[in-house]
Amino acid sequence: MNRPVTISLDAMGGDIGADVVVPAALGYLKQDKKTALILVGDEDTLQAMLGNHGFGDRLRIKHASEVVAMDELPSKALRNKKDSSMRVAIDLVKSGDADACVSAGNTGALMATSRFVLKMLPNIDRPAIITALPSITGQTFMLDLGANVDCSAGHLFQFAVMGSETVSAVTDISNPTIGLLNIGQEEIKGNEQVKQAHELLHASSLNYVGYVEGDDVFQGGTDVIVADGFVGNIALKSSEGVAKMIRHFMRLEFKKNLLTQLAGLIALPVLRSLAKRIDHRHYNGASLLGLRGIVIKSHGGADKIAFMNAISIARKEVSSDVPSRIAEQVKAHLDKRETA
Amino acid sequence: MNRPVTISLDAMGGDIGADVVVPAALGYLKQDKKTALILVGDEDTLQAMLGNHGFGDRLRIKHASEVVAMDELPSKALRNKKDSSMRVAIDLVKSGDADACVSAGNTGALMATSRFVLKMLPNIDRPAIITALPSITGQTFMLDLGANVDCSAGHLFQFAVMGSETVSAVTDISNPTIGLLNIGQEEIKGNEQVKQAHELLHASSLNYVGYVEGDDVFQGGTDVIVADGFVGNIALKSSEGVAKMIRHFMRLEFKKNLLTQLAGLIALPVLRSLAKRIDHRHYNGASLLGLRGIVIKSHGGADKIAFMNAISIARKEVSSDVPSRIAEQVKAHLDKRETA
C-alpha cells in the first residue's frame, strides 16, 4: 500500500459521540505524524466541528447516515443499520481503505457487526475481548471480557493463544506468562471446562503458569489471564465497582469538615499521583480478537484522552499485524497437537 | 435447653490458630455476657494459654488431637482426621452441645465436614456460602462464594431463598431485595442458567429486582446478590485484589519523599477513617447455608477483631434460628410453585 497507516473512527459511537471522537482525533494526529484517520459519521456535523484542521489528507470524513444506539439490540443494529457510523467504519477495514477501526459504541453490536463483516480467522471459533488492567507490578491483560458465555475448554485454549500473541505484539514481553482464572486449588473447586483447559494449556508450548485466582489479576506476576466471558466480565466490573466505592468514600472523608478539607488539600498532589497510576483512561481500548481485521472497542464513556489511547492501541496492533500472528500461532498449536 | 447459647470454636484452624482464636474468645465473652464458648483443640496448649480466665463455665475447652491443614484435601481431612479441632467443633453442633460453630480453617474441608456431619436441610441440594460486603449505601450480601461450581437455575433459586432469609434474620431488613449477577442486558449476554433462574425468580414471591452487574455489588441498592460459586468467588477475590492494589499504591505515593510523608501524616486521620469504612474485618464471617446447623467460616488470616466479628454473626444466626427459617421458606416456595 502506498498510503499511510489509516484508522477509521466511529465518530458517532459512545455515550458522547463526536464531541469526544473529533477532539481525540485531532489530539492523536498531533502526536503521531505518520498515521491517517477517517472520521465516520454525519458529514455536515463532522465538517462543522472540524473546520480548517490543517491535517490535510491525514484526516478525512466518510459519511454515514445512521447511528447505533447504546442500548440497541445487536441483531437489530446488524440487520437494520447498514449505513451506521459503526458499520461503515468496519466496512472500511474490510475494503482495505483502513487498517483498523475504533468505536466507543455498543459492545454487542460492534462484536456482531465486526464478526459479520470481517469474518473469523481460520481455526478460531469465537472472537474474544482483551484489555490491560493495572497491577502492582505493572499491567495484566485479561480475556475474555464478555463476548462469550458458556465456553468450552477448547475456546479457553484459543483465548490463551490469542492473548499470548496480542500481548507479545503490543508490549515488549516476548513470551507472556499465561494464567487460567480459577477459584483455588482444592479438589472441590474449579469447573469442568477450566480443569480441561488446564490440561490443554499444560500440554502446549505456551508459557502457562497454572491457575490464578481473582486477586492475582491486580497483584501482577501474570501477563495474560484467561477466563470465559461471563467470569471475566464480572471480575472486571466488580473491580471497577470497588475502585469507585473507594474513590467515593475518600471524597466523603476528605470533605467531612474544614480540617479534613485542609488535609485533602495538602494530600492532593499525592492523591492525584495515585489516581494517575490507576487511571482507567490509560487502559482504555479493548481489542476484539479472532477477527480478520483489527477492531478496538473504546469505553462508552471515554473522554478525549481515553479515546486517544484506544487509537494508539489500534496503531500498535496494525504495526505488528496481530490478526496474522494469531492465525499463524493458532495453526502452529493445532499442527503440534496433531503431531503429538 | 437450660444452658446459655453456646458456640464452639475451632481453636486450631486458620493461618494463625489458637493465637488468634483464644484472644478473640476472651474478647468476645467480655462484650457478650450471655453466651458461652467452647474452644476445641489441643487441651494442654489451650489450657496454658487461658490460665485463670475468670469466665467460669462460659469458657470451656474440648480436646481434639488433630488439626486440618489449610491446604489439606477436603476428602482426606474428612476421611482421616476424625479427631480434628474442626470436626469436633462441628460434632458439638450435631450433638446439641453447641448451637453454632466458627472455624477459620480450610473452606473446602469445613464445607465437606459440615455437610457430612450435619446433613442438608430438606429440599436444599447444595450448601452455599454468603458474606456481607461494604457498599456505598451500606452493605450487600453475596452468595455463593465458592461452594458450588456449575450450578443449575434451580440451585440459584435456592440460593436466593437462603440469602433472603439469612439477611432478614441477621439485619433489620424485613424483605431484602434480591439481584441476579449477570453481564448486562443485551441479548447475546447472560448464560443459560442465569436466564432460567431469572424466570424462576420473577415468578416467585421473593423481592426480586432483576439482573445486576459486577459493579452493582459495591454501588449498593441491592441487599442480596446471587451468583454461582465460581463467579461469586472470582468477583469477591478480584475486588479484594483491587482494594489491596489501591492500598499498596497509596502507601507508595505517601512514602515517596519527605513532603509526601508529611502530607500522609496530616491526612492520616482521614485515611484511617476511610480504612475503617471498608475494613474487611468488620465483614469477616461467612455463613455456610443450607445445613441442619449453623457454621460460620472466618477468613483464614483473620485477626482477633475479625474473628470476634465471626462469632457475633454466629450468635445472631442462633437467635433467629436461620436454618429453620430457611427450611420453612424453601418449603413454602416449593408448595407455592406446585399450587401454581
Side-chain angles (χ1 to χ4, degrees), chain A residues 162-327:
Chain A
M162 294 199 285
S164 177
E165 280 313 302
T166 307
V167 171
S168 68
V170 303
T171 69
D172 51 7
I173 303 164
S174 61
N175 192 17
T177 51
I178 315 280
L180 188 58
L181 197 56
N182 198 358
I183 64 169
Q185 285 142 2
E186 292 171 47
E187 65 193 314
I188 60 155
K189 292 179 172 176
N191 61 26
E192 273 317 305
Q193 301 92 293
V194 167
K195 285 178 191 167
Q196 286 172 27
H198 178 72
E199 298 305 321
L200 289 176
L201 286 165
H202 244 318
S204 79
S205 58
L206 286 167
N207 192 2
Y208 179 59
V209 296
Y211 292 136
V212 295
E213 293 196 57
D215 44 353
D216 292 315
V217 180
F218 302 95
Q219 300 313 295
T222 314
D223 300 317
V224 182
I225 292 185
V226 174
D228 86 48
F230 194 94
V231 172
N233 183 284
I234 298 281
L236 179 72
K237 289 279 180 74
S238 314
S239 319
E240 287 174 358
V242 170
K244 264 190 247 172
M245 179 185 72
I246 295 176
R247 224 163 27 232
H248 172 87
F249 284 147
M250 204 184 290
R251 271 201 205 112
L252 226 63
E253 289 295 343
F254 276 117
K255 276 187 182 164
K256 219 188 249 166
N257 55 46
L258 266 175
L259 217 65
T260 59
Q261 280 174 29
L262 187 67
L265 220 62
I266 292 165
L268 201 61
V270 183
L271 298 175
R272 280 220 178 109
S273 180
L274 169 70
K276 213 172 157 187
R277 271 185 192 267
I278 51 173
D279 187 347
H280 58 90
R281 295 183 307 173
H282 297 300
Y283 297 90
N284 183 51
S287 312
L288 270 54
L289 302 179
L291 301 164
R292 294 177 188 260
I294 297 165
V295 180
I296 306 295
K297 160 75 178 128
S298 162
H299 198 285
D303 65 6
K304 176 187 159 184
I305 302 292
F307 199 92
M308 281 170 66
N309 199 63
I311 303 175
S312 303
I313 293 174
R315 183 65 188 81
K316 276 188 201 162
E317 295 199 8
V318 174
S319 294
S320 43
D321 195 0
V322 170
S324 302
R325 288 183 59 160
I326 289 177

Side-chain angles (χ1 to χ4, degrees), chain B residues 71-127:
Chain B
D71 58 353
E72 198 159 342
L73 284 180
S75 56
K76 287 206 173 160
L78 184 57
R79 204 164 43 234
N80 304 331
K81 296 217 171 144
K82 293 187 182 154
D83 199 37
S84 72
S85 56
M86 181 190 283
R87 172 64 178 267
V88 175
I90 299 169
D91 284 341
L92 288 172
V93 177
K94 174 72 181 174
S95 65
D97 293 304
D99 304 296
C101 147
V102 180
S103 172
N106 175 335
T107 311
L110 184 65
M111 184 55 94
T113 309
S114 300
R115 198 173 170 171
F116 176 79
V117 172
L118 299 172
K119 312 295 177 209
M120 300 299 299
L121 288 168
N123 304 312
I124 304 270
D125 300 320
R126 300 167 168 201

